[in-house]
Amino acid sequence: MHTMTEAEVLPPTAQLLGMEDVEHARPICAHSHDFGVISLARAGHASHQTEKGLARVGAGTLTLLGPSSWHAYEPDPVIELTNLYMTRALLAVGTSRHLTTEVPAPLRDALDPENSQGSVISFALTEPDVTALKRVFAQVRGDDGPRSIFSQLALYYQLLDALVPAVTAAPMLMASSSADHQHSPLAPGLRKYGEHVTHAIALLHDRIDHPWTLGELAAGVSISSSQLVRTFRADTGSAPIAYLQSIRAERMAYLLRTTDLSIAAVGRAVGWPDPSYASRRFNAHWRLSPSAYRRGLS
């Protein structure tokens, strides 16, 4: 299972926190974080898989993801999220002992970098609480250049000030067993992957630019190629190499959004050294050429 790092989501000018608006129309495979995330669903619906099971999320759902947590999404048919990313250093300040009497237990337990134990908690917010959070998010998003550490800390405390009443008043969403959803059209394949598939996914994510073959991947997880194809397809709904092509296209899009690297360099970074082939694979996934995708961001 791929572990996302702070360096992957935080821009160079954000030492402590950053923000991103995302729209998912494709399943997001199980992955973990080494940082904290506050995720607010703006529109759409999805089935959300965590260690506790499956939960239905939609507009107004607030999800707190602590460091080391893992999750996956199955959009229905699309989910729009605002994700606020927080480093472990920032969370250590926000959950320090002198704040424990002010921060409610669910919020503190989810975001404490030392004690979260991979916690993921979701709440159904009221419209006033959503509006209050969006006001703080707008300040975090403000495009006024690099911020000092103290400015970022001030924004985090404003965020906590909005989160505390919201989390205190909102009902917590209860997850149900993945087994209850195995035949649901809204959540195909959303369950914790088996050991070999989890290992294979981790290898593909960690060495995404490697020229993988099915045989080499199977050897890497100590099973036969036919076993790997069978178990991988059963768990993810996709063949291993098709899955690799998909995550390469997703990573390429991320690099196009967040770096100034040339399209050829981005292609090489994800394992597609031939620019023409990289463009064709990207287009097959996104229905846009890499250059058109990047132009659409401006």
Side-chain angles (χ1 to χ4, degrees), residues 85-151:
Y85 308 118
M86 301 159 293
T87 65
R88 296 177 73 96
L90 178 62
L91 295 178
V93 173
T95 55
S96 57
R97 293 295 171 259
H98 71 280
L99 292 179
T100 55
T101 58
E102 297 293 332
V103 178
L107 176 58
R108 185 176 65 248
D109 292 345
L111 299 182
D112 188 334
E114 302 303 324
N115 300 308
S116 72
Q117 298 180 336
S119 175
V120 180
I121 305 174
S122 293
F123 301 87
L125 299 189
T126 64
E127 186 57 39
D129 286 330
V130 169
T131 300
L133 276 178
K134 285 182 175 179
R135 281 198 294 266
V136 181
F137 286 173
Q139 295 182 60
V140 176
R141 189 184 287 109
D143 187 16
D144 54 1
R147 290 190 171 101
S148 70
I149 291 289
F150 302 109
S151 176

Side-chain angles (χ1 to χ4, degrees), residues 54 83 126 129 141 175 177 251 273:
L54 280 167
N83 292 334
T126 64
D129 286 330
R141 189 184 287 109
S177 167
R251 184 73 65 85

Side-chain angles (χ1 to χ4, degrees), residues 244-256:
L244 173 61
Q245 301 287 51
S246 178
I247 64 171
R248 280 175 169 169
E250 298 281 354
R251 184 73 65 85
M252 189 169 176
Y254 173 79
L255 292 174
L256 290 171

Side-chain angles (χ1 to χ4, degrees), residues 46-50 53-57 122 173-176 181:
S47 291
H48 188 209
Q49 170 80 63
T50 69
L54 280 167
R56 177 80 164 169
V57 299
S122 293
L173 297 182
M174 296 293 105
S176 57
H181 295 261

